[in-house]
C-alpha cells in the first residue's frame, strides 16, 4: 500500500536552478529515504535520514525531515540536465527493510 | 558496494505462459528480499516480502497463486508470474536487505520489464 504523497508530480526547471520536491507520509517511521530512477531503470539510493534527524546534506542534495508534520523535502541545488529523472521518497519502519514509496516527482532539467 | 543482480532485464511472452524472474545478492547474504511492481509513470508498489527458508508475505490484493515467490538460499529469490496475461505487463524490481542497520539501506536490482502479448 502507498502511504507517501509527493508534490509536485512534475517539475520542469532550467539548468542551474534549484529543484525542491516534497513528500508527506501517514504513519510513524524509522527512517525516510530518497531514490532516483531514470526511465525504465532500477533505483539509485540518494540519501537516508533517520527519524531523529532534521536535516542532512550530501553533495548538491539537502534533505529535511519534519516528523511533527510527517513531511520531508529534497532540494537539489544548481541542477544539471543529468539530474533529469523521477525522484521517490520511501519510508522505512522498524520491521526490517520494508519500504513504502511515494508517488514520485518527475524532474526535467532543461539545458 | 553491495550489488543486486536481477535477470532477465526484459522479457516478452505470450499470454498464458509463466515467467520466472531472478534476484541475486552478489556479495552479501540477504535473509529478506522484497518484490515491487511498477506501472508506467507510477510509483513502486510492494508486492511481497521474501524470507529465506519460509513462505513469502504478500501485500493485500496480491494473488499468492499468481505470483509465486521462492527464496531457497541466502542469495537468491525468484518471482514466477504464472499464466501471465497482458494486465501483468509491468516493471518488476527486487531489493535485498543488506542487514547493515536493520534494513536501513536496501539495494535494488535493475528491474525486469515484462510484456505479455
Amino acid at each position: 500500500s502507498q502511504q507517501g504523497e509527493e508534490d509536485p508530480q512534475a517539475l520542469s526547471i532550467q539548468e542551474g536552478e534549484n529543484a525542491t520536491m516534497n513528500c508527506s507520509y501517514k504513519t510513524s517511521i524509522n527512517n525516510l529515504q530518497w531514490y532516483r530512477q531514470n526511465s525504465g531503470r532500477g533505483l539509485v539510493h540518494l540519501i537516508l535520514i533517520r527519524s531523529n534527524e532534521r536535516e542532512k546534506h550530501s553533495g548538491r542534495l539537502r534533505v529535511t525531515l519534519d516528523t511533527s508534520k510527517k513531511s520531508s523535502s529534497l532540494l537539489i541545488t544548481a541542477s544539471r540536465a543529468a539530474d533529469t529523472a523521477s525522484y521517490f521518497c520511501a519510508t522505512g519502519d522498524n520491521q526490517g527493510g520494508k519500504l513504502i514509496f511515494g508517488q514520485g516527482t518527475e524532474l526535467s532539467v532543461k539545458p | 558496494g553491495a550489488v543486486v543482480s536481477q535477470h532477465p532485464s526484459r522479457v516478452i511472452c505470450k499470454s498464458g505462459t509463466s515467467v520466472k524472474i531472478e534476484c541475486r545478492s552478489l556479495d552479501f547474504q540477504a535473509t529478506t528480499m522484497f518484490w515491487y511492481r511498477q506501472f508506467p509513470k507510477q510509483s513502486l508498489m510492494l508486492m511481497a516480502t521474501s524470507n529465506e527458508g519460509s513462505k513469502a508475505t504478500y501485500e493485500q490484493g496480491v494473488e499468492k497463486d499468481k505470483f509465486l515467490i521462492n527464496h531457497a538460499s541466502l542469495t537468491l529469490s525468484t518471482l514466477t508470474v504464472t499464466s501471465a496475461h497482458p494486465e501483468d505487463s509491468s516493471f518488476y524490481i527486487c531489493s535485498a536487505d543488506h542487514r547493515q542497520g536493520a534494513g536501513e539501506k536496501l539495494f535494488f536490482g535493475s528491474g525486469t520489464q515484462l510484456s505479455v502479448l
Side-chain angles (χ1 to χ4, degrees), chain B residues 48-62:
Chain B
T49 302
S50 172
N51 304 298
E52 187 269 335
S54 64
K55 291 182 179 180
T57 304
Y58 290 81
E59 294 299 302
Q60 192 173 5
V62 178

Side-chain angles (χ1 to χ4, degrees), chain B:
Chain B
V3 176
V4 173
S5 172
Q6 189 172 338
H7 177 81
S9 59
R10 182 177 294 272
V11 59
I12 301 172
C13 69
K14 292 182 179 179
S15 186
T17 60
S18 294
V19 175
K20 180 184 283 188
I21 303 169
E22 293 187 349
C23 181
R24 292 180 185 273
S25 55
L26 296 186
D27 53 0
F28 66 99
Q29 294 182 332
T31 55
T32 306
M33 292 186 178
F34 302 89
W35 288 96
Y36 294 84
R37 178 168 56 182
Q38 183 181 34
F39 292 107
K41 302 286 186 182
Q42 295 188 25
S43 186
L44 283 77
M45 297 287 293
L46 179 65
M47 298 176 67
T49 302
S50 172
N51 304 298
E52 187 269 335
S54 64
K55 291 182 179 180
T57 304
Y58 290 81
E59 294 299 302
Q60 192 173 5
V62 178
E63 300 174 59
K64 302 178 184 180
D65 296 332
K66 175 75 172 177
F67 300 99
L68 300 179
I69 291 173
N70 184 281
H71 195 156
S73 78
L74 286 170
T75 59
L76 174 65
S77 174
T78 61
L79 168 68
T80 300
V81 183
T82 62
S83 187
H85 290 285
E87 58 264 30
D88 298 323
S89 297
S90 185
F91 192 60
Y92 293 86
I93 309 177
C94 69
S95 68
D97 184 352
H98 192 249
R99 284 288 132 192
Q100 280 186 325
E104 281 191 342
K105 188 170 182 179
L106 297 176
F107 295 90
F108 283 82
S110 55
T112 298
Q113 182 64 54
L114 170 63
S115 299
V116 184
L117 305 178

Side-chain angles (χ1 to χ4, degrees), chain A residues 13-91:
Chain A
I13 59 175
Q14 293 295 130
E15 210 166 27
E17 294 180 341
N18 296 340
T20 300
M21 289 160 265
N22 302 295
C23 166
S24 62
Y25 57 92
K26 297 177 183 175
T27 62
S28 60
I29 62 171
N30 175 275
N31 61 78
L32 187 143
Q33 306 180 34
W34 285 90
Y35 288 84
R36 166 199 169 119
Q37 183 183 37
N38 286 76
S39 181
R41 301 288 195 89
L43 296 175
V44 175
H45 181 267
L46 295 177
I47 197 165
L48 178 151
I49 186 166
R50 294 185 177 84
S51 58
N52 61 352
E53 298 175 313
R54 291 297 166 258
E55 188 171 313
K56 208 161 183 180
H57 297 255
S58 177
R60 294 185 296 114
L61 305 180
R62 172 176 168 254
V63 168
T64 63
L65 178 64
D66 187 335
T67 52
S68 66
K69 295 181 180 178
K70 289 186 166 58
S71 67
S72 174
S73 68
L74 170 67
L75 169 66
I76 303 174
T77 60
S79 63
R80 306 166 183 169
D83 294 329
T84 295
S86 292
Y87 292 82
F88 295 93
C89 68
T91 54

